Amino acid sequence: MIPSFFIAHGAPLLAIEDNEYTQFLTSLGRTLPRPKAIVLFSAHWVSGVQNVSKVDEYETIYDFGGFPDALYQIKYPAKGNEKISNEIEELFTKNGISYEVETSRGLDHGAWVVLRKLYPDADIPVISMSVNPNLTPEDQYKIGKSLSVLSENDILVIGSGGTVHNLRAVNFGKDNGQSDDWALDFDEWLAQHLENWDVESLFNYESLAPTAKLAVPPYGNEHFVPFFYAMGVADNKRNATLLHRSYRYGNLSHSVWQFG
């Protein structure tokens, strides 16, 4: 069995940077049991209905602008796996979850930045998944829960986003590793309730968590919701471990949570 993970993908520059966080991700990829495949929910693929990719080989999407040319030269030519895509469809049907199949979309940077650090050879099949920020956290969790059997079959499920992701609040001139108090307060609240698997409080984070509106602004909540998809996968284990937490630009969080 392989745990599920929530992994922050930070800014696109992580793809070409060598720092504490990128070194951690590289180490994580080397220490995890090698998965049969990777199912990844990306904050940068938003849809009103759950999408499941069924792609032979992915193109690399550069869904950002104004960065160094080196970023646009990166390729991550991961392949899909039709059999596992079909299995996901069956699980969704069994659990009453509406879905659509996507046969052409490539991997956005929420996917390939993380995957390239974990598995640089792009030699593990990937099934890319969308997220829906308009669903309740309970429903996002339910979608993840419906895929619990994948972890039991050595398939790695990742939610890629950020626990604190407010681009209007970041300070690009502040890159000394220090964190704004409000960002740390939110992450500490999250950790407290995660370690107790207190889903009732977590599902109501918007009204209960300190500084939730700053940490997870309504215009950017798509970066937080992959958390609930990844968490739901481990509903049968119900334990959470914080593996890494650091910050860039004052409050952009680099958190990695292991579930299960």
Side-chain angles (χ1 to χ4, degrees), residues 127-139:
I127 293 84
S128 184
M129 308 283 281
S130 67
V131 298
N132 183 355
N134 295 319
L135 292 178
T136 64
E138 292 97 325
D139 284 337

Side-chain angles (χ1 to χ4, degrees), residues 41-146:
F41 291 89
S42 172
H44 288 275
W45 186 6
V46 174
S47 66
V49 176
Q50 180 62 54
N51 270 253
V52 181
S53 65
K54 191 178 287 185
V55 174
D56 291 332
E57 183 172 319
Y58 292 94
E59 298 290 331
T60 305
I61 301 174
Y62 309 102
D63 50 336
F64 46 76
F67 288 94
D69 288 344
L71 272 178
Y72 303 92
Q73 306 307 313
I74 293 173
K75 303 289 185 185
Y76 194 82
K79 298 184 183 303
N81 184 301
E82 184 175 356
K83 180 180 178 181
I84 295 174
S85 293
N86 289 340
E87 183 179 350
I88 292 170
E89 292 177 52
E90 291 170 4
L91 290 170
F92 283 161
T93 299
K94 176 183 176 182
N95 288 278
I97 295 168
S98 298
Y99 68 90
E100 294 177 354
V101 175
E102 168 56 59
T103 59
S104 61
R105 189 181 188 276
L107 293 177
D108 58 67
H109 84 272
W112 63 259
V113 167
V114 168
L115 293 175
R116 188 168 178 265
K117 293 299 179 183
L118 294 173
Y119 302 106
D121 295 332
D123 57 352
I124 298 174
V126 175
I127 293 84
S128 184
M129 308 283 281
S130 67
V131 298
N132 183 355
N134 295 319
L135 292 178
T136 64
E138 292 97 325
D139 284 337
Q140 293 155 358
Y141 185 97
K142 177 184 175 183
I143 290 172
K145 181 180 177 179
S146 73

Side-chain angles (χ1 to χ4, degrees), residues 7-25:
I7 300 178
H9 61 250
L13 283 170
L14 280 179
I16 56 174
E17 289 179 328
D18 180 15
N19 56 40
E20 174 192 3
Y21 185 49
T22 61
Q23 291 169 17
F24 171 80
L25 292 179

Side-chain angles (χ1 to χ4, degrees), residues 191-251:
Q192 175 188 346
H193 293 280
L194 267 173
E195 287 162 2
N196 295 316
W197 209 266
D198 178 7
V199 291
E200 183 175 351
S201 294
L202 291 166
F203 290 164
N204 291 283
Y205 75 91
E206 289 180 287
S207 60
L208 296 179
T211 69
K213 287 184 172 60
L214 269 175
V216 188
Y219 64 84
N221 67 333
E222 76 285 339
H223 274 76
F224 185 59
V225 300
F227 197 92
F228 292 115
Y229 292 87
M231 189 181 176
V233 175
D235 181 76
N236 55 349
K237 294 292 184 181
R238 296 200 162 208
N239 56 67
T241 305
L242 179 62
L243 301 183
H244 178 92
R245 184 167 69 202
S246 57
Y247 297 87
R248 297 287 294 277
Y249 318 125
N251 52 65

